[in-house]
Amino acid sequence: MRPLLGEIRYFLAGSFYRMRYHELGSRKHPTVVCVHGLTRSGRDFDALAAGLADRFHVLSPDLPGRGASDWLPDASLYQPQSYVIALTHLLATLGERVMWVGTSLGGICGMMIASSPGAPISRMVLNDVGPMVPGRAIARIRDYMSVRPEFPDLLALEAHLRHVHAGFGPLSDAHWEHLTKTSARHLPDGRVALHYDPGIAKPIRTSLAIDTELWPWWEKINIPVLAIRGENSDLLLPKTFERMVQSGAMPHVVKDTGHAPALMDAETIGVVRSFLLEQDKS
Protein backbone atom coordinates (compact mmCIF):
# COMPACT_ATOMS: atom_id res chain seq x y z
CA MET A 1 0.00 0.00 0.00
CA ARG A 2 1.80 3.10 -1.26
CA PRO A 3 0.91 6.41 0.43
CA LEU A 4 -0.36 9.41 -1.51
CA LEU A 5 1.86 12.49 -1.79
CA GLY A 6 0.60 15.90 -0.71
CA GLU A 7 2.18 19.26 0.11
CA ILE A 8 1.88 22.47 2.06
CA ARG A 9 3.73 25.77 1.71
CA TYR A 10 5.45 27.35 4.66
CA PHE A 11 7.18 30.71 5.17
CA LEU A 12 10.75 30.77 6.49
CA ALA A 13 13.42 33.50 6.54
CA GLY A 14 11.68 35.65 3.94
CA SER A 15 10.72 32.95 1.42
CA PHE A 16 8.09 30.30 0.83
CA TYR A 17 9.10 26.65 0.56
CA ARG A 18 7.27 23.39 -0.11
CA MET A 19 7.05 20.56 2.41
CA ARG A 20 5.71 17.27 1.01
CA TYR A 21 3.96 14.64 3.10
CA HIS A 22 2.90 11.02 2.62
CA GLU A 23 -0.75 10.26 3.34
CA LEU A 24 -2.54 7.00 4.11
CA GLY A 25 -6.01 6.34 5.49
CA SER A 26 -9.32 8.16 5.32
CA ARG A 27 -9.56 11.84 6.21
CA LYS A 28 -12.72 10.96 8.11
CA HIS A 29 -10.55 9.27 10.75
CA PRO A 30 -8.46 10.94 13.51
CA THR A 31 -5.18 12.31 12.17
CA VAL A 32 -1.77 11.02 13.23
CA VAL A 33 1.31 13.03 12.21
CA CYS A 34 4.51 10.94 12.06
CA VAL A 35 7.82 12.81 11.96
CA HIS A 36 11.12 11.13 11.15
CA GLY A 37 14.68 11.41 12.43
CA LEU A 38 17.58 13.60 11.34
CA THR A 39 18.65 11.93 8.07
CA ARG A 40 15.49 10.01 7.28
CA SER A 41 12.15 10.69 5.52
CA GLY A 42 8.44 10.21 5.98
CA ARG A 43 8.58 6.91 4.08
CA ASP A 44 10.19 5.37 7.18
CA PHE A 45 6.64 5.16 8.57
CA ASP A 46 5.13 3.14 5.70
CA ALA A 47 4.83 -0.01 7.81
CA LEU A 48 3.38 1.85 10.80
CA ALA A 49 0.97 3.78 8.56
CA ALA A 50 -0.25 0.54 6.98
CA GLY A 51 -0.89 -0.81 10.47
CA LEU A 52 -2.94 2.26 11.42
CA ALA A 53 -4.71 3.22 8.20
CA ASP A 54 -7.98 1.38 8.90
CA ARG A 55 -8.63 3.60 11.94
CA PHE A 56 -6.47 6.68 11.38
CA HIS A 57 -5.56 9.30 8.80
CA VAL A 58 -1.76 9.11 8.80
CA LEU A 59 0.45 11.95 7.52
CA SER A 60 4.23 11.49 7.37
CA PRO A 61 6.00 14.69 6.24
CA ASP A 62 9.48 14.91 4.74
CA LEU A 63 11.19 17.57 6.82
CA PRO A 64 12.82 20.47 4.94
CA GLY A 65 15.83 19.27 2.96
CA ARG A 66 14.71 15.63 2.99
CA GLY A 67 12.84 13.34 0.64
CA ALA A 68 10.48 15.17 -1.70
CA SER A 69 10.55 18.47 0.22
CA ASP A 70 12.41 21.58 -0.91
CA TRP A 71 16.04 22.05 0.02
CA LEU A 72 16.88 25.28 1.83
CA PRO A 73 19.39 27.69 0.24
CA ASP A 74 21.08 28.47 3.55
CA ALA A 75 22.32 25.37 5.41
CA SER A 76 22.30 27.25 8.72
CA LEU A 77 18.48 27.10 8.56
CA TYR A 78 18.53 23.33 9.12
CA GLN A 79 17.62 23.69 12.78
CA PRO A 80 14.75 22.34 14.91
CA GLN A 81 13.18 25.80 15.01
CA SER A 82 12.88 25.79 11.20
CA TYR A 83 11.35 22.33 11.19
CA VAL A 84 8.82 23.43 13.80
CA ILE A 85 7.83 26.37 11.59
CA ALA A 86 7.17 24.00 8.68
CA LEU A 87 5.34 21.49 10.87
CA THR A 88 3.13 24.11 12.52
CA HIS A 89 2.17 25.35 9.04
CA LEU A 90 0.99 21.79 8.41
CA LEU A 91 -0.93 21.72 11.70
CA ALA A 92 -2.52 25.09 10.94
CA THR A 93 -3.55 23.83 7.51
CA LEU A 94 -5.17 20.75 9.06
CA GLY A 95 -7.00 22.91 11.58
CA GLU A 96 -7.74 20.04 13.96
CA ARG A 97 -6.32 18.22 16.94
CA VAL A 98 -3.86 15.51 15.97
CA MET A 99 -1.83 12.74 17.52
CA TRP A 100 1.94 12.72 17.08
CA VAL A 101 4.57 10.04 16.52
CA GLY A 102 8.12 11.39 16.54
CA THR A 103 11.34 9.47 16.06
CA SER A 104 14.46 11.19 17.44
CA LEU A 105 14.45 14.67 15.83
CA GLY A 106 10.74 14.22 15.11
CA GLY A 107 10.19 13.67 18.81
CA ILE A 108 12.17 16.79 19.70
CA CYS A 109 9.96 18.79 17.34
CA GLY A 110 6.92 17.19 18.94
CA MET A 111 8.05 18.18 22.42
CA MET A 112 8.70 21.75 21.27
CA ILE A 113 5.20 22.02 19.84
CA ALA A 114 3.34 20.10 22.57
CA SER A 115 4.91 22.28 25.28
CA SER A 116 3.47 25.44 23.68
CA PRO A 117 0.15 26.93 24.88
CA GLY A 118 -2.74 25.97 22.64
CA ALA A 119 -0.83 23.22 20.84
CA PRO A 120 -3.21 20.96 18.85
CA ILE A 121 -1.47 17.70 19.87
CA SER A 122 -3.70 15.46 21.99
CA ARG A 123 -1.49 12.36 22.40
CA MET A 124 2.19 11.76 21.61
CA VAL A 125 4.54 8.85 20.92
CA LEU A 126 8.24 9.61 21.49
CA ASN A 127 10.40 7.04 19.73
CA ASP A 128 13.80 6.76 21.39
CA VAL A 129 14.15 10.38 22.37
CA GLY A 130 13.54 12.26 25.57
CA PRO A 131 14.24 15.46 27.49
CA MET A 132 18.00 14.81 27.68
CA VAL A 133 20.09 14.13 24.56
CA PRO A 134 23.59 12.87 25.48
CA GLY A 135 26.61 14.52 23.91
CA ARG A 136 28.13 11.12 23.07
CA ALA A 137 25.12 10.25 20.92
CA ILE A 138 25.36 13.63 19.18
CA ALA A 139 29.03 12.95 18.45
CA ARG A 140 28.21 9.52 16.99
CA ILE A 141 25.60 11.00 14.67
CA ARG A 142 27.98 13.81 13.68
CA ASP A 143 30.64 11.25 12.76
CA TYR A 144 28.47 9.22 10.38
CA MET A 145 27.11 12.41 8.79
CA SER A 146 30.65 13.34 7.78
CA VAL A 147 30.45 10.63 5.08
CA ARG A 148 29.45 12.06 1.70
CA PRO A 149 26.05 10.45 0.95
CA GLU A 150 26.79 9.16 -2.58
CA PHE A 151 27.20 5.51 -3.63
CA PRO A 152 27.86 3.54 -6.83
CA ASP A 153 24.58 1.60 -6.63
CA LEU A 154 21.68 0.56 -4.40
CA LEU A 155 23.59 -2.38 -2.96
CA ALA A 156 26.32 -0.05 -1.68
CA LEU A 157 23.70 2.29 -0.27
CA GLU A 158 21.99 -0.60 1.53
CA ALA A 159 25.32 -1.70 3.04
CA HIS A 160 25.84 1.84 4.32
CA LEU A 161 22.35 1.98 5.84
CA ARG A 162 22.76 -1.40 7.52
CA HIS A 163 25.97 -0.11 9.11
CA VAL A 164 25.00 3.38 10.28
CA HIS A 165 21.46 2.37 11.25
CA ALA A 166 22.22 -0.98 12.85
CA GLY A 167 20.37 0.38 15.87
CA PHE A 168 17.08 0.11 13.95
CA GLY A 169 17.00 -3.48 15.13
CA PRO A 170 16.91 -6.98 13.61
CA LEU A 171 15.07 -6.02 10.43
CA SER A 172 14.27 -8.40 7.59
CA ASP A 173 15.93 -8.18 4.18
CA ALA A 174 12.61 -6.85 2.83
CA HIS A 175 12.65 -4.05 5.41
CA TRP A 176 16.20 -3.04 4.50
CA GLU A 177 15.30 -3.13 0.81
CA HIS A 178 12.36 -0.83 1.46
CA LEU A 179 14.45 1.59 3.51
CA THR A 180 17.11 1.61 0.78
CA LYS A 181 14.68 2.30 -2.07
CA THR A 182 12.95 5.08 -0.15
CA SER A 183 16.32 6.57 0.89
CA ALA A 184 17.77 6.77 -2.63
CA ARG A 185 18.13 9.78 -4.91
CA HIS A 186 19.33 8.76 -8.38
CA LEU A 187 22.08 10.92 -9.89
CA PRO A 188 22.57 11.67 -13.62
CA ASP A 189 25.79 9.62 -13.75
CA GLY A 190 24.04 6.47 -12.55
CA ARG A 191 25.17 6.66 -8.94
CA VAL A 192 22.79 7.09 -6.03
CA ALA A 193 22.79 9.53 -3.16
CA LEU A 194 20.85 9.67 0.06
CA HIS A 195 17.56 11.54 -0.20
CA TYR A 196 18.68 14.60 1.78
CA ASP A 197 20.50 17.85 1.15
CA PRO A 198 24.11 17.32 2.35
CA GLY A 199 23.77 20.77 3.91
CA ILE A 200 21.66 19.36 6.75
CA ALA A 201 24.93 18.14 8.28
CA LYS A 202 26.41 21.63 8.63
CA PRO A 203 24.70 22.67 11.90
CA ILE A 204 25.52 19.42 13.71
CA ARG A 205 29.13 19.43 12.43
CA THR A 206 29.68 22.88 13.90
CA SER A 207 27.86 22.24 17.18
CA LEU A 208 29.38 21.11 20.45
CA ALA A 209 28.75 17.49 21.36
CA ILE A 210 27.46 18.21 24.86
CA ASP A 211 24.47 16.93 26.82
CA THR A 212 21.35 18.85 25.81
CA GLU A 213 18.70 19.32 28.50
CA LEU A 214 15.10 19.69 27.32
CA TRP A 215 13.38 19.18 30.67
CA PRO A 216 11.73 22.66 30.70
CA TRP A 217 9.73 21.59 27.62
CA TRP A 218 8.87 18.22 29.13
CA GLU A 219 7.50 19.79 32.29
CA LYS A 220 4.99 21.81 30.23
CA ILE A 221 3.61 18.78 28.38
CA ASN A 222 0.33 17.59 29.92
CA ILE A 223 -0.95 15.08 27.36
CA PRO A 224 -0.62 11.27 27.37
CA VAL A 225 2.83 10.16 26.17
CA LEU A 226 4.05 6.75 25.05
CA ALA A 227 7.83 6.58 25.51
CA ILE A 228 9.54 3.94 23.34
CA ARG A 229 13.16 3.03 24.00
CA GLY A 230 15.54 0.80 22.09
CA GLU A 231 16.97 -1.59 24.66
CA ASN A 232 20.56 -0.62 23.78
CA SER A 233 19.96 3.02 22.87
CA ASP A 234 22.76 5.54 23.41
CA LEU A 235 20.41 8.49 22.88
CA LEU A 236 17.56 7.75 25.28
CA LEU A 237 19.47 6.68 28.37
CA PRO A 238 17.90 4.47 31.07
CA LYS A 239 17.90 7.27 33.68
CA THR A 240 16.12 9.65 31.31
CA PHE A 241 13.61 6.97 30.34
CA GLU A 242 12.95 6.13 33.99
CA ARG A 243 12.34 9.77 34.85
CA MET A 244 9.89 10.08 31.92
CA VAL A 245 7.98 7.05 33.15
CA GLN A 246 7.95 8.29 36.74
CA SER A 247 6.35 11.52 35.51
CA GLY A 248 3.55 9.64 33.79
CA ALA A 249 4.75 8.37 30.39
CA MET A 250 3.69 4.89 29.32
CA PRO A 251 6.84 2.79 28.70
CA HIS A 252 7.71 0.34 25.94
CA VAL A 253 11.17 -1.16 25.41
CA VAL A 254 12.08 -2.74 22.05
CA LYS A 255 14.47 -5.66 22.58
CA ASP A 256 17.73 -6.09 20.64
CA THR A 257 17.48 -2.54 19.31
CA GLY A 258 19.45 0.67 19.71
CA HIS A 259 18.75 4.12 18.30
CA ALA A 260 16.15 4.15 17.01
CA PRO A 261 13.54 1.38 16.75
CA ALA A 262 12.34 1.26 13.13
CA LEU A 263 8.67 0.83 14.15
CA MET A 264 8.36 -1.94 11.57
CA ASP A 265 7.80 -4.94 13.85
CA ALA A 266 4.27 -6.16 14.58
CA GLU A 267 4.64 -5.91 18.37
CA THR A 268 5.68 -2.26 18.43
CA ILE A 269 3.12 -1.29 15.79
CA GLY A 270 0.51 -2.97 17.98
CA VAL A 271 1.64 -1.03 21.06
CA VAL A 272 1.50 2.29 19.18
CA ARG A 273 -1.90 1.43 17.72
CA SER A 274 -3.36 0.53 21.12
CA PHE A 275 -2.01 3.73 22.67
CA LEU A 276 -3.49 5.91 19.91
CA LEU A 277 -6.86 4.11 20.06
CA GLU A 278 -7.09 4.99 23.76
CA GLN A 279 -8.08 8.49 22.66
CA ASP A 280 -11.41 7.12 21.42
CA LYS A 281 -12.13 5.93 24.97
CA SER A 282 -11.11 9.15 26.72
Side-chain angles (χ1 to χ4, degrees):
M1 190 185 307
R2 185 182 178 88
L4 300 174
L5 190 62
E7 68 175 64
I8 56 108
R9 300 275 175 168
Y10 65 96
F11 186 71
L12 175 67
S15 298
F16 282 93
Y17 300 98
R18 180 183 62 177
M19 184 171 73
R20 308 296 292 271
Y21 58 83
H22 310 277
E23 181 176 15
L24 205 62
S26 172
R27 297 184 182 185
K28 296 179 181 179
H29 293 150
T31 297
V32 180
V33 176
C34 301
V35 185
H36 60 80
L38 182 62
T39 63
R40 306 303 305 148
S41 81
R43 295 298 303 276
D44 281 11
F45 295 103
D46 282 3
L48 177 64
L52 299 177
D54 64 320
R55 297 289 300 272
F56 298 98
H57 174 220
V58 185
L59 299 181
S60 305
D62 293 339
L63 289 176
R66 285 84 164 170
S69 293
D70 288 346
W71 291 12
L72 302 178
D74 180 357
S76 68
L77 291 173
Y78 288 125
Q79 302 278 358
Q81 294 87 344
S82 299
Y83 307 141
V84 166
I85 287 172
L87 291 166
T88 51
H89 273 67
L90 173 62
L91 295 178
T93 300
L94 292 171
E96 62 185 273
R97 288 182 69 75
V98 306
M99 290 171 275
W100 191 278
V101 178
T103 294
S104 196
L105 173 60
I108 291 173
C109 293
M111 286 189 286
M112 290 177 69
I113 296 170
S115 65
S116 303
I121 299 176
S122 61
R123 188 167 283 258
M124 185 164 59
V125 179
L126 294 177
N127 183 26
D128 212 62
V129 68
M132 198 287 283
V133 180
R136 285 186 296 177
I138 295 172
R140 176 182 58 78
I141 294 169
R142 184 178 63 192
D143 288 345
Y144 81 68
M145 290 190 72
S146 65
V147 177
R148 187 169 180 82
E150 295 180 1
F151 306 88
D153 52 35
L154 287 174
L155 287 176
L157 172 57
E158 181 175 329
H160 170 77
L161 294 177
R162 284 176 180 260
H163 174 66
V164 301
H165 295 312
F168 283 7
L171 305 183
S172 68
D173 289 343
H175 286 148
W176 283 114
E177 181 180 4
H178 175 79
L179 290 172
T180 301
K181 288 181 176 178
T182 57
S183 296
R185 177 169 52 90
H186 293 272
L187 302 174
D189 62 2
R191 294 180 301 152
V192 292
L194 285 166
H195 53 53
Y196 59 78
D197 177 359
I200 69 169
K202 181 178 178 180
I204 194 169
R205 284 178 185 164
T206 57
S207 65
L208 296 175
I210 58 175
D211 292 354
T212 302
E213 302 283 348
L214 308 176
W215 291 107
W217 295 346
W218 178 258
E219 291 165 0
K220 295 177 182 178
I221 296 172
N222 57 5
I223 57 174
V225 174
L226 168 62
I228 297 175
R229 179 176 186 269
E231 182 181 28
N232 304 314
S233 176
D234 66 343
L235 193 137
L236 180 52
L237 299 180
K239 287 185 178 180
T240 305
F241 185 65
E242 182 181 354
R243 183 171 167 184
M244 294 168 71
V245 173
Q246 288 176 347
S247 61
M250 173 183 170
H252 179 67
V253 176
V254 184
K255 300 293 185 181
D256 302 318
T257 301
H259 181 75
L263 306 185
M264 288 179 157
D265 64 287
E267 179 184 359
T268 306
I269 290 173
V271 169
V272 172
R273 179 184 170 91
S274 296
F275 173 76
L276 297 179
L277 284 171
E278 283 295 319
Q279 178 157 294
D280 292 342
K281 304 175 185 178
S282 59

